[in-house]
Amino acid sequence: MKRRELQELLARQGLAPRHRLGQNFLVEPDLLRALVREAGVAAGDAVLEIGPGAGGLTRPLLEAGARVLAVEVDPGLASLLRELLAAPLAEGRLRLVEGDVLGPDPAFHPRVETWWAEVRRPRVVANLPYGISGPLLARLAGRPLRGASLLLQQELVDRALGRRLRDRGPLAVLLHLAFRARAGRRLPPEVFWPRPRVHSAVLHLEPREDALPAEAWPRVRGWLRVAFAERRKMLLPRLREQAPPLARVLEEAGVEAALRPEELSLDDWEGILRRAILEGL
Ligand code: SAM
């Protein structure tokens, strides 16, 4: 849907973009189709779409032959979608959940959890609202996935990749352990309505074959919470007090006492956490 068309459609329904819900709609149909192509969506794929809005991305996903579960928190947009996409809903190619996609950490909405168990290894494709992007990405780590392609604010793509020191945190470590992550197409503010202040980019996540076993993830999340709790402080002295067994693993790995948590590379973190799992901490 083009900008003018979407503006008129929402106005007719008495709706307006809600900043709080990160409603920056992508209003370039060619770009939306390109995103679906670049996500590698094929006919028959099960796809989770978060925040379908007025269906801008949902339509090309359905055109590609995907079976889509779309989760929309805004009741006004959900009811508009039920009208606009009545045919695929009736045919069962599209299912719509009205509610918050996030459940209590690290769960998703209960209906998403049930669907996930049925379809086993879905793709996740979305133009994500800024407010939930971090928690949503963190929840994907450790999930059985075919892949994910997510449009995010550039700053979050940087934090997900964790290449620079200032971007490196628990999110980058979690994603590094679960996926091969790469940045895709970059999009300027002009292709959205309303225009955000910043650039956006696509983050592609491909599952690693050597990802951690499912039962290890709760422990890894816990260790990372402790390790990054005070990012400006030296890591080892603090861990010696708060998590002595983990401190011992760091010592054995030769981590210098003066380092802060973000000064360890993603590979360093991977080595340490794998060792902690092997040792049964
Ligand atoms: N997919 C549309 C597009 O590409 O134009 C809209 C994307 S817009 C950036 C984000 C969408 O996510 C909005 O429709 C918003 O209402 C929805 N949303 C925000 N928070 C949500 C949440 N916690 N759970 C589900 N949907 C959410």
Side-chain angles (χ1 to χ4, degrees), residues 159 162 165 167-174 224 228 231 262 266:
R159 271 178 47 211
L165 210 73
D167 295 322
R168 207 170 298 144
L171 180 64
V173 180
L174 277 176
L224 288 173
F228 281 90
R231 303 177 61 140
E262 67 227 27
L266 296 178

Side-chain angles (χ1 to χ4, degrees), residues 1 6 18 20-28 32 35 49-58 70-75 77-78 81 97-102 109 125-132 136 151 191-193:
M1 222 177 291
L6 179 64
R18 294 167 72 184
R20 191 177 64 78
L21 294 178
Q23 291 179 354
N24 299 99
F25 301 94
L26 183 44
V27 286
E28 291 287 339
L32 287 157
L35 291 184
E49 188 198 352
I50 295 130
L57 186 57
T58 323
V71 189
E72 175 54 61
V73 76
D74 184 330
L77 288 176
L81 270 178
V97 174
E98 187 180 320
D100 185 346
V101 70
L102 302 180
H109 187 288
V125 182
N127 172 13
L128 278 185
Y130 179 70
I132 63 163
L136 190 116
L151 184 51
V191 301
F192 298 92
W193 175 70

